[in-house]
Amino acid sequence: MSANLGSMPALELTKGMTVSVKTFYIETFGCQMNVHDSEKVAGVLMARGYRPVDAHEDADIILYNTCSIREKAAQKVFSRLGAFRKNGAGAGKIIGVLGCVAQQEGERFFERAPQVSLVCGSASYARLPELLDQLEAGNRRVKGLALDTEECFETELTRRDNRFRAYLTIIEGCDQRCAFCVVPMTRGPERSRAGGKIVAECRRLVDQGYTEIQLLGQIVNAWRDPGPAGWSFAELLAGVAEIPGLRRVRFTTSHPRYFTPEIVHAIDSHPALCNQVHLPVQAGSSAVLARMRRGYSREEYLEKIYCIRRSSRAISLSTDIIVGFCGEKERDFEETLSLLARVEYDQVFAFKFSPRPHTDAEGFADTIPEEEKSRRLTALLECQRQIQIRRNQALFGQVLEVLVEGYQPRLGQAVGRTATNRVVNFPGKPSDIGGYAKVRVTAVGPNSLVGQRVDEANRASLPAVILSAAKDLGSTLDWARGH
Ligand code: 5AD
């Protein structure tokens, strides 16, 4: 590897004074935690004088922030690296692998992909400045792979990509031992940030103009205040929601085990807490849940749902489901379908089980054939699609508040989200972005709504775009939750 930051092109500022123009490109795979980690990594690099670029061809440093939750996700970084090897595009550049695949593969990356100079798991991001020192000094096998950390990746330098919604990690790592899940092996033990610091950072974000904050954690509701106040998670939610000027607070991902009535009470009594809960169930059969080691039965999960449904606000529900887990019988799968019918989620993220290294389920017998997993996934998605059409139809004619996040010039459509996390498209203009609009629902699909703005007097109304349920605009946008 011949790349050397010291020999990069130099820009002459004033006579005798030069500064290296160092550029970086970062591509992120996976969940919101990864997206936000990349924002922090970018902030650290920019504070050292690196400039972000939009194409890897223009970058001196190329970073991949990887995901290993399923085999398919983990393969993505290898296909990127393989392409470099084939066409030589990586020559002269520094290539780094961050995140969960970095942690999982560790130093093997240096053998498997010799063009890689940096391998760093998320538990070592606090060491990034030191690792960058090593790279800048010419070291080409730099690694941060320790997992036994008690630190969180705290930095003032975050470069946030979204101007309206700020992500904020409040707890890192995971202490659960779900049989299918690789996260405890790739993100290390749970560590919570102090409540006082979190609220102070939220205040700063509001001062900077953010009106929506999303609190993040692999298991966000396992958060416990390590600080002197000793807040519960529900108390933290209330504390954040009471910050003047903050209009929307979301949190993800919650584990059913730690989902308490106090959280529902906090949502009930704080309008700024979005009436939306993502509560992964994974399976509808207690036998499968026990083999997954989820720590709750179907009935216990449903108790949490009833508690949420008793709220004075209409709380929107979403979930994650794994189909085809080892030993999942047809009747187990039917229990998952009946759970969907019972709960009536507004959104479901469903995945075929994918065995992961060093997890308990890696060694489980009774694997389900791939075709059968696919059949179950298709059946489940179809069942859920009907539920979503029904639920969205109930919104027809209602006026919803939308935070506008984008504009599609070709269609003259603004697009945003409701507090319940539904995507809404409506005739708008570029300057709507960043503001809140009141929109009456005029058409619905399974994944998004279409409407007309009702809170602007004498608006020149663009022709309404009526979308069929099958052709869903929302799906053309990049709204992926990322996993
Ligand atoms: N196979 C398939 N899906 C998985 N998930 C986690 N691990 C696996 C796996 N081994 C899913 C779960 C989790 C979501 C983030 O990814 O549904 O909630």
Side-chain angles (χ1 to χ4, degrees):
M1 169 69 72
S2 60
N4 182 336
L5 291 178
S7 67
M8 276 169 194
L11 178 73
E12 186 133 358
L13 288 180
T14 52
K15 215 171 171 47
M17 186 183 162
T18 58
V19 93
S20 292
V21 180
K22 300 173 287 187
T23 54
F24 72 96
Y25 170 82
I26 183 161
E27 182 174 358
T28 308
F29 306 105
C31 62
Q32 282 124 320
M33 295 278 289
N34 263 13
V35 171
H36 185 42
D37 282 345
S38 290
E39 291 179 334
K40 294 197 264 186
V41 170
V44 169
L45 281 161
M46 286 164 77
R48 290 174 80 92
Y50 292 81
R51 186 168 57 80
V53 291
D54 293 334
H56 67 78
E57 292 86 353
D58 303 329
D60 299 315
I61 297 191
I62 300 172
L63 296 173
Y64 292 113
N65 192 358
T66 60
C67 169
S68 66
I69 196 88
R70 285 169 295 277
E71 179 62 22
K72 236 184 180 165
Q75 282 311 323
K76 286 186 182 158
V77 63
F78 293 110
S79 77
R80 292 289 189 282
L81 295 172
F84 279 148
R85 206 176 9 234
K86 242 192 227 150
N87 60 23
K93 298 180 188 293
I94 288 182
I95 298 179
V97 183
L98 310 177
C100 293
V101 185
Q103 190 67 53
Q104 187 184 294
E105 294 294 309
E107 292 181 52
R108 283 195 297 264
F109 255 112
F110 296 129
E111 315 306 329
R112 196 167 165 183
Q115 69 272 50
V116 169
S117 309
L118 168 70
V119 179
C120 180
S122 65
S124 301
Y125 289 159
R127 287 184 54 217
L128 260 182
E130 174 206 329
L131 301 177
L132 288 165
D133 283 345
Q134 292 182 34
L135 277 177
E136 287 169 1
N139 190 342
R140 289 295 166 262
R141 285 199 164 197
V142 177
K143 56 181 194 279
L145 295 169
L147 261 187
D148 55 346
T149 180
E150 298 196 347
E151 276 181 83
C152 290
F153 181 25
E154 305 225 16
T155 170
E156 307 265 298
L157 304 171
T158 309
R159 190 215 51 177
R160 290 195 158 78
D161 293 329
N162 185 308
R163 281 182 294 145
F164 321 110
R165 182 194 311 123
Y167 290 135
L168 188 65
T169 300
I170 65 166
I171 175 170
E172 293 184 20
C174 181
D175 288 348
Q176 306 295 310
R177 283 290 175 273
C178 299
F180 54 80
C181 190
V182 78
V183 167
M185 272 68 77
T186 60
R187 284 192 168 265
E190 268 168 17
R191 52 263 180 226
S192 291
R193 295 182 61 201
K197 275 191 178 174
I198 294 170
V199 173
E201 193 164 339
C202 289
R203 285 218 173 86
R204 273 199 300 277
L205 289 166
V206 173
D207 289 344
Q208 289 165 21
Y210 290 98
T211 60
E212 177 172 326
I213 291 181
Q214 187 158 334
L215 305 175
L216 298 179
Q218 292 298 332
I219 298 196
V220 73
N221 57 337
W223 181 88
R224 297 291 173 271
D225 191 4
W231 289 338
S232 68
F233 176 65
E235 286 169 320
L236 175 73
L237 288 181
V240 172
E242 282 162 18
I243 295 172
L246 188 51
R247 292 179 66 157
R248 289 184 171 183
V249 182
R250 303 184 196 272
F251 52 95
T252 198
T253 292
S254 296
H255 192 296
R257 206 162 168 175
Y258 304 105
F259 200 89
T260 59
E262 288 72 38
I263 299 174
V264 179
H265 180 69
I267 296 175
D268 265 343
S269 41
H270 292 84
L273 281 178
C274 287
N275 45 337
Q276 176 228 338
V277 170
H278 182 66
L279 201 60
V281 64
Q282 312 296 1
S285 136
S286 292
V288 173
L289 288 170
R291 272 204 307 285
M292 287 178 163
R293 300 212 181 96
R294 288 291 289 173
Y296 54 84
S297 64
R298 173 190 175 95
E299 290 67 32
E300 283 162 341
Y301 179 87
L302 283 172
E303 275 307 314
K304 313 269 176 182
I305 297 294
Y306 298 144
C307 173
I308 294 170
R309 290 284 187 230
R310 281 195 299 271
S311 161
S312 59
R313 297 173 72 192
I315 297 179
S316 167
L317 279 165
S318 56
T319 199
D320 291 347
I321 288 184
I322 297 177
V323 296
F325 188 65
C326 312
E328 184 188 71
K329 306 266 183 310
E330 184 60 28
R331 65 170 182 277
D332 294 316
F333 175 61
E334 277 163 17
E335 285 202 68
T336 298
L337 295 182
S338 80
L339 184 109
L340 292 194
R342 175 85 75 92
V343 177
E344 297 220 302
Y345 295 102
D346 293 299
Q347 207 175 4
V348 168
F349 301 90
F351 313 99
K352 293 190 272 184
F353 172 62
S354 152
R356 307 308 298 130
H358 314 301
T359 57
D360 287 349
E362 196 190 8
F364 284 3
D366 270 346
T367 55
I368 309 293
E370 246 352 86
E371 318 79 75
E372 178 57 18
K373 286 184 197 170
S374 300
R375 188 195 65 78
R376 290 181 192 179
L377 182 64
T378 308
L380 182 141
L381 291 176
E382 181 48 32
C383 162
Q384 179 57 28
R385 196 179 124 85
Q386 298 306 326
I387 293 171
Q388 283 177 209
I389 291 174
R390 257 200 329 277
R391 288 189 66 78
N392 283 347
Q393 272 167 351
L395 298 174
F396 192 87
Q398 284 191 21
V399 173
L400 306 173
E401 187 184 66
V402 175
L403 168 55
V404 184
E405 297 181 20
Y407 176 75
Q408 298 190 318
R410 203 168 48 81
L411 299 168
Q413 294 277 302
V415 60
R417 278 173 189 267
T418 64
T420 58
N421 215 25
R422 285 186 170 86
V423 173
V424 181
N425 302 278
F426 64 94
K429 49 191 187 316
S431 59
D432 291 335
I433 294 178
Y436 288 80
K438 294 259 193 304
V439 178
R440 186 183 303 283
V441 178
T442 56
V444 305
N447 299 312
S448 69
L449 311 173
V450 176
Q452 286 285 341
R453 192 164 182 172
V454 294
D455 57 350
E456 273 191 343
N458 300 326
R459 254 182 85 75
S461 174
L462 295 162
V465 177
I466 305 297
L467 298 168
S468 72
K471 189 170 176 300
D472 218 353
L473 227 200
S475 61
T476 66
L477 302 170
D478 184 19
W479 291 117
R481 243 186 80 236
H483 61 231

